[in-house]
Amino acid sequence: MVQAGLSVFRDNDEIERGGNLKWELDKAIKGSQIAIIVFSKHYAFSTWCLDELVMILDCKDTSRHTAFPVFYDVEPSEVRKQRGSLADAFSRYEEQLINAGSDTETGKELMKKSRFIQIIVRVVEEKLNRTVLSVTHYLVGKDFRVQNIHLWLQDESADANILVIYGVGGVGESTIAQIAYNLNFHRFESSSFVANVKQHAEQFNGILELQNHVLSNILKGEKGRLYNVHEGSIKINQAICSKRVLVVLDDIDKLDQFDALLGTQVFYPGSKIILTTRKKGLLGAHAAHEVHRVKSLSCDESSKLFSLHAFGQDHPIDGYVEQSERLVRRCEGLPLALQVFGKSVDVWEDALSKLEEVPRTDIQKVLEISYDTLQDDYEKNLFLHIACFFIGEEKDDTVKILEKCGLHPTVGIDSLIDRCLLTVENGNKLMMHQLLQEMGKEIVRKESPKEPGRRSRLWRHKDSF
């Protein structure tokens, strides 16, 4: 189970000696989605096993808890009619597996038991329907765009095991990669999705942190810490060359990022690597690869996505049809722009008048209009503070810092979230689309293009000296 990446509670591992065993078990069972009850010959001789069984059945009756009975070396009728010897503790069974000898018969028995465990793991994974990455709520036009990538991931005979997904910024490359990853990660021995590579790489020790992330994912959480990028490349190389892996590097823009995070161009047969980028020729002749271009949404898809964000339905409401059509046309089929403007109904007239002056395909200027239509200078300054300094930081910590600066950020952050200019992800971290962050930093840079010291904010070390 652990090797499959599942979170597993086992009382002999999780409960400290001297702890309140019954309380800990009750807490663990209530916090689980699935309970596996392994009935073996001596099950009934353990009062704790019987107590756990009662707790599990109580949860099953009072919640959406699922229980799987597994009959190991015992007939279901023996358990049902309480005949014969019923159970042996599962921990003892595992110890027997680990300590078993190496003779042929024992080896065959180990293989039989191993296959038995693998079947249980697959059933649990299917029942949990694990989706490790959250994706945007409205996925208009994504099924068709993911289909070819999904087929490529399942094709082990493909000549190239690297796929470059590219498109203009804001067209949805990352979302498509996330969906494809969620559909396929369970097919591989290990998997890792590395989000916002470009953004993290610009931070202090950013590449090293990403290497630790990749290595931890590939090794299924095994302990170990990297201390320099060169060491990281070597260890990642060793890890991914020995198993079928799925690795997605999202928003990558430099070859050295590719080399550092994969450490090799030789992969185990059946492994798949996906890169999302704005640069079609990023890899060039550096490694054999295929390319997939993400196209903008069609007019109908754009109207549907825009309406879902603006009105909560797939078409405009009466009185807003003409405005909606004009805004949709100017967003050029880019999901990010459609999402941002769909959440700004109250400022559409102002936005439309400015959009008419913006050259087509200039997404940065289109998004800047969403900044211009923020309610007041307070919200604008809050947006710029967060874009320049607080992306990836804990929301609560950010609020405390900004409050110490004399600001009152809680309401403002909620407003930015409501306008789709900011999100809270990965627990409680502030996140922003890369294009929106770049737009915010460009606004600050234009305050004084040649003299950083005259700008209102400085976020790069070299600009501070």
Side-chain angles (χ1 to χ4, degrees):
M1 295 288 181
V2 174
Q3 290 177 357
L6 297 170
S7 177
V8 180
F9 177 90
R10 293 176 60 236
D11 52 16
N12 58 331
D13 289 337
E14 304 289 341
I15 299 177
E16 296 182 3
R17 293 184 181 276
N20 188 327
L21 184 59
K22 187 172 182 179
W23 183 84
E24 292 285 355
L25 285 173
D26 185 60
K27 178 183 175 183
I29 290 168
K30 288 179 179 178
S32 301
Q33 291 177 263
I34 290 179
I36 301 174
I37 308 158
V38 182
F39 292 105
S40 56
K41 288 185 176 180
H42 300 97
Y43 188 92
F45 290 105
S46 168
T47 57
W48 276 114
C49 286
L50 294 176
D51 286 342
E52 288 180 38
L53 180 59
V54 172
M55 294 179 195
I56 291 169
L57 294 178
D58 284 343
C59 283
K60 182 176 180 296
D61 292 336
T62 58
S63 67
R64 298 176 66 182
H65 205 82
T66 302
F68 283 121
V70 175
F71 302 95
Y72 183 75
D73 201 22
V74 64
E75 292 296 323
S77 61
E78 293 182 52
V79 177
R80 184 171 62 249
K81 297 180 181 180
Q82 299 184 13
R83 292 190 312 199
S85 198
L86 295 180
D88 198 0
F90 193 58
S91 58
R92 186 183 303 174
Y93 157 68
E94 285 187 338
E95 289 173 7
Q96 290 171 351
L97 280 178
I98 294 169
N99 297 325
S102 58
D103 60 88
T104 302
E105 289 303 316
T106 303
K108 289 180 179 179
E109 183 65 18
L110 281 172
M111 290 181 66
K112 177 182 175 183
K113 292 175 179 177
S114 178
R115 285 195 294 270
F116 179 66
I117 292 172
Q118 289 171 13
I119 292 170
I120 297 172
V121 171
R122 283 201 298 272
V123 171
V124 172
E125 286 186 312
E126 290 170 3
K127 288 294 181 181
L128 282 174
N129 189 25
R130 289 192 301 160
T131 299
V132 296
L133 302 174
S134 61
V135 295
T136 183
H137 186 58
Y138 300 123
L139 299 174
V140 177
K142 292 295 189 290
D143 289 344
F144 169 74
R145 288 166 173 79
V146 170
Q147 184 178 6
N148 288 338
I149 300 170
H150 181 54
L151 293 174
W152 177 81
L153 284 168
Q154 297 181 63
D155 182 9
E156 295 186 16
S157 65
D159 293 334
N161 50 11
I162 301 175
L163 179 67
V164 175
I165 302 176
Y166 75 98
V168 299
V171 78
E173 307 100 317
S174 297
T175 300
I176 287 172
Q178 289 171 336
I179 297 170
Y181 180 88
N182 285 343
L183 290 172
N184 291 277
F185 74 92
H186 63 280
R187 302 175 186 274
F188 298 82
E189 294 178 71
S190 293
S191 59
S192 181
F193 190 101
V194 189
N196 303 317
V197 172
K198 177 185 175 184
Q199 176 180 317
H200 288 293
E202 294 173 350
Q203 299 173 2
F204 179 70
N205 277 342
I207 287 292
L208 190 60
E209 290 300 318
L210 294 180
Q211 286 181 323
N212 276 297
H213 172 81
V214 172
L215 195 60
S216 175
N217 289 163
I218 298 302
L219 297 180
K220 301 287 189 181
E222 290 182 21
K223 300 299 182 183
R225 186 72 182 171
L226 303 174
Y227 295 98
N228 62 72
V229 172
H230 179 67
E231 176 196 15
S233 296
I234 293 173
K235 289 192 174 181
I236 290 173
N237 184 13
Q238 294 170 342
I240 67 177
C241 283
S242 59
K243 59 175 69 178
R244 289 181 67 248
V245 301
L246 169 61
V247 179
V248 179
L249 304 182
D250 170 54
D251 194 21
I252 181 172
D253 70 338
K254 293 180 180 178
L255 273 178
D256 59 359
Q257 297 164 359
F258 173 85
D259 291 333
L261 295 175
L262 293 177
T264 182
Q265 295 177 35
V266 180
F267 305 101
Y268 193 84
S271 291
K272 298 288 184 177
I273 310 298
I274 293 178
L275 315 179
T276 73
T277 182
R278 300 179 211 171
K279 300 178 180 180
K280 176 183 177 181
L282 175 69
L283 290 183
H286 189 67
H289 64 283
E290 296 183 20
V291 295
H292 176 86
R293 180 190 170 204
V294 180
K295 297 181 180 179
S296 302
L297 299 181
S298 67
C299 290
D300 288 343
E301 290 170 335
S302 297
S303 178
K304 183 177 180 179
L305 180 61
F306 179 83
S307 297
L308 285 168
H309 282 291
F311 312 113
Q313 61 185 41
D314 63 4
H315 58 278
I317 62 176
D318 293 341
Y320 285 93
V321 175
E322 183 182 353
Q323 287 177 314
S324 298
E325 289 177 350
R326 289 170 61 196
L327 275 166
V328 166
R329 284 197 301 270
R330 295 302 299 182
C331 288
E332 297 286 335
L334 296 178
L336 177 61
L338 291 163
Q339 178 183 9
V340 169
F341 285 109
K343 289 293 186 180
S344 305
V345 180
D346 54 327
V347 292
W348 277 4
E349 285 299 333
D350 187 26
L352 275 168
S353 63
K354 294 180 179 180
L355 275 170
E356 299 297 338
E357 303 172 4
V358 174
R360 290 183 182 273
T361 73
D362 195 337
I363 181 63
Q364 283 286 0
K365 291 184 178 179
V366 169
L367 293 175
E368 192 168 329
I369 291 171
S370 66
Y371 165 82
D372 291 337
T373 55
L374 288 174
Q375 292 184 356
D376 50 38
D377 289 341
Y378 169 77
E379 283 195 357
K380 291 179 180 178
N381 279 319
L382 181 63
F383 174 84
L384 295 178
H385 280 321
I386 293 173
C388 293
F389 303 115
F390 296 106
I391 298 304
E393 300 297 328
E394 291 285 339
K395 177 184 175 183
D396 294 342
D397 293 341
T398 301
V399 167
K400 290 178 182 177
I401 292 171
L402 292 175
E403 284 178 340
K404 293 292 184 180
C405 296
L407 301 174
H408 304 283
T410 303
V411 174
I413 286 176
D414 289 341
S415 178
L416 295 178
I417 292 172
D418 187 56
R419 290 180 178 271
C420 291
L421 295 175
L422 189 66
T423 59
V424 178
E425 302 174 16
N426 301 327
N428 197 37
K429 292 186 177 181
L430 295 176
M431 302 301 291
M432 184 181 291
H433 193 285
Q434 182 74 18
L435 284 177
L436 292 172
Q437 185 182 27
E438 289 175 2
M439 178 263 289
K441 290 182 175 180
E442 179 62 14
I443 290 172
V444 175
R445 191 195 68 82
K446 288 192 295 187
E447 294 173 351
S448 178
K450 296 183 178 180
E451 296 185 50
R454 294 181 177 273
R455 299 172 194 166
S456 60
R457 299 161 182 84
L458 296 176
W459 58 89
R460 295 192 300 182
H461 294 292
K462 68 178 184 179
D463 291 337
S464 303
F465 297 100

